[in-house]
Amino acid sequence: MTPRPTKRSTSTFTKAAAFLLLGGAALGAAAPPTLEDFLANAALAIGQRNPKRADFWIARYLARKGPPEAIQDLLDKRRLNPAGFLSDTFAPDFLDWFEKSTHALWAAEGPRVQEGLGAMEIAQASESGRFVAVVASPELQSWFTWSAGDSAKNRRLLLAPASASGGSKIYLYSGKRLNNKVPVYFPPVELDTKKRPLQYVWKPEFHDLDGDGAPEVWLRYNLLRGNGFTQALDIFSMNEEKGLVLVRRFQGEFEGIARRLDTGEVEEAAGTGSKRGLAHLEFDQHRIDTWEFKGGSFSKKSRRFVDHILKSDDWKKYY
């Protein structure tokens, strides 16, 4: 899944490993940047025609919930092209979450932020002496809601997903602590998103899939696809020589679901139509398959259909 790390990725690993080692530690006398610092640095980057750098500072501003009117001039100069759209039939509070959750990705502070690389940890977890972190860089995108009727009702969504193209990559860092103190870092691996931006990632979880006493890493995340998104659930084994090794990927297409249940089973859902001829943005239901792990592999246990979960408050049950 992952090419051998280049010199650049090894350097990125070394610096990102410091995030894990120092996470939560004090920064000494260094004062954290202010909202004004974010705005000034973003303006400087735009003036230097460095959109990636501008996106890094604007995303951090959005994560701090700075007044939106203060960045309007910066966004005008940034000149974002339309990148994608969602159906306006989705629940309004889901659309709110879809936008604001991308901003929340960039809320890290202190040693979990590497300003020189324009990258930071966007998710991390540790358990039983093992740890994992997701490190990425932001990319501003302008999305819209799509209406089959009055286009004047279309709503703009300002997204700040994790970038996976144009030289940007999303890395997974992992390791263990000897005697719960000394960290040992495994090789970093690139998250295989097929160059699609990552809209949101849940906190990684550790669960022992096969009962061998060594927990796997379960990573759930959304990937943008121009006219919607896909949800993925990756299960990784931890390997000291290779880092995280993909065991199985579940994928919920067409605004679907891929998640682990408390029972240990996995739900994999895809958006679909209740009748022939419905276009993607007209899908009105989800097909939900439940998988269970038995005899060393996953097998499908059941299938059911439900009304489209994003078009009512039911979405909260799944998110």
Side-chain angles (χ1 to χ4, degrees), residues 58-311:
I58 294 174
R60 296 188 69 190
Y61 179 89
L62 293 170
R64 288 265 199 98
K65 300 181 180 180
E69 60 272 10
I71 60 170
Q72 189 55 56
D73 182 59
L74 293 174
L75 294 177
D76 291 341
K77 293 177 180 178
R78 179 67 178 80
R79 297 180 180 178
L80 295 172
N81 294 319
F85 48 92
L86 294 174
S87 172
D88 72 342
T89 63
F90 292 169
D93 50 358
F94 173 79
L95 295 174
D96 290 339
W97 175 87
F98 190 81
E99 177 182 38
K100 296 301 191 302
S101 61
T102 67
H103 304 171
L105 290 175
W106 314 105
E109 296 290 353
R112 296 192 185 278
V113 179
Q114 181 48 254
E115 292 183 0
L117 294 173
M120 67 179 72
E121 285 187 13
I122 60 174
Q124 57 278 320
S126 61
E127 184 177 304
S128 302
R130 296 173 180 262
F131 54 81
V132 62
V134 184
V135 177
S137 301
E139 172 189 334
L140 293 186
Q141 291 191 355
S142 187
W143 278 55
F144 295 86
T145 58
W146 175 86
S147 173
D150 186 0
S151 61
K153 295 181 180 179
N154 289 351
R155 168 185 169 185
R156 185 194 184 197
L157 305 172
L158 176 61
L159 304 188
S163 181
S165 61
S168 296
K169 297 179 180 180
I170 302 170
Y171 281 102
L172 305 177
Y173 298 91
S174 60
K176 64 181 181 181
R177 292 185 182 275
L178 299 179
N179 299 319
N180 290 322
K181 293 182 179 180
V182 181
V184 176
Y185 299 102
F186 302 162
V189 298
E190 179 187 348
L191 183 63
D192 183 14
T193 71
K194 310 300 183 187
K195 296 185 177 181
R196 295 169 183 161
L198 183 151
Q199 180 266 337
Y200 186 72
V201 58
W202 280 258
K203 182 181 178 68
E205 298 180 359
F206 293 88
H207 299 286
D208 189 351
L209 176 65
D210 50 13
D212 65 352
E216 281 73 27
V217 174
W218 299 61
L219 188 69
R220 181 188 181 194
Y221 54 94
N222 285 345
L223 297 178
L224 298 175
R225 297 196 58 175
N227 62 347
F229 64 91
T230 295
Q231 188 168 116
L233 175 66
D234 288 351
I235 305 172
F236 298 97
S237 63
M238 299 187 74
N239 185 289
E240 294 190 20
E241 296 182 356
K242 299 179 181 180
L244 296 183
V245 178
L246 185 66
V247 175
R248 175 67 185 258
R249 171 172 292 177
F250 291 93
Q251 201 149 322
E253 299 286 356
F254 304 117
E255 297 74 62
I257 294 294
R259 64 172 186 164
R260 181 186 185 275
L261 303 177
D262 291 340
T263 60
E265 297 169 331
V266 172
E267 279 189 343
E268 184 181 52
T272 187
S274 60
K275 57 185 179 182
R276 295 174 62 89
L278 290 180
H280 169 201
L281 293 180
E282 297 173 319
F283 284 169
D284 57 357
Q285 62 181 14
H286 275 88
R287 181 189 67 240
I288 303 179
D289 293 331
T290 301
W291 297 78
E292 61 179 348
F293 190 81
K294 294 178 62 176
S297 63
F298 280 99
S299 59
K300 191 181 299 184
K301 179 180 179 181
S302 63
R303 168 173 288 183
R304 71 185 193 276
F305 290 85
V306 299
D307 291 339
H308 202 288
I309 62 177
L310 300 184
K311 298 187 178 185

Side-chain angles (χ1 to χ4, degrees), residues 20-31:
L20 295 163
L21 178 62
L22 299 175
L27 286 177

